[in-house]
Amino acid sequence: MIVSLGRSLFHSLLKTIRNMNMDLYEYDITKHSLESSKELVYYCTESGECSLGQVPESQTRLVNEILNEKGTAGWELVQLIFGSEGFLAIWKRIIKHIDN
């Protein structure tokens, strides 16, 4: 079923879209092996499902350092992915802000 928009509604939507601001991002993925994260405690089942348990505050130091280092350089953490061999961190940062 095709919906027919009234002319004024169509132009209103078009104007809204044109006035939207947009950011362009670059992405970075960093890999952290078990060797570099030997103080970080997490558990992986044989099927590969991993989760953080009750991690003592002293053992979160590594992740805190990584977050602060990348954050100072303008990177925002998108996601941490834990696996049996370590973890991946996915980052993004704005490379250009476009104003319409």
Side-chain angles (χ1 to χ4, degrees):
M1 175 180 196
I2 298 175
V3 177
S4 177
L5 294 176
R7 188 177 200 98
S8 63
L9 178 58
F10 175 77
H11 287 290
S12 176
L13 287 173
L14 189 58
K15 183 178 178 182
T16 300
I17 291 170
R18 286 183 180 153
N19 289 331
M20 291 174 58
N21 294 328
M22 183 184 346
D23 294 327
L24 298 178
Y25 296 96
E26 67 176 323
Y27 294 87
D28 189 25
I29 299 174
T30 55
K31 182 179 179 180
H32 306 274
S33 67
L34 284 178
E35 186 64 32
S36 68
S37 59
K38 60 186 172 188
E39 291 185 13
L40 185 62
V41 177
Y42 58 94
Y43 171 76
C44 295
T45 65
E46 289 182 11
S47 65
E49 293 180 29
C50 302
S51 63
L52 290 170
Q54 293 182 348
V55 180
E57 188 174 326
S58 63
Q59 294 184 350
T60 61
R61 197 170 305 124
L62 173 69
V63 174
N64 191 52
E65 289 173 5
I66 293 169
L67 289 170
N68 286 333
E69 179 182 320
K70 293 292 279 188
T72 300
W75 293 95
E76 176 184 346
L77 179 66
V78 175
Q79 186 170 4
L80 284 177
I81 303 169
F82 290 88
S84 60
E85 297 179 12
F87 64 94
L88 292 176
I90 301 173
W91 309 89
K92 72 176 184 179
R93 72 176 167 187
I94 296 173
I95 57 173
K96 187 174 184 179
H97 181 75
I98 300 172
D99 292 319
N100 288 331

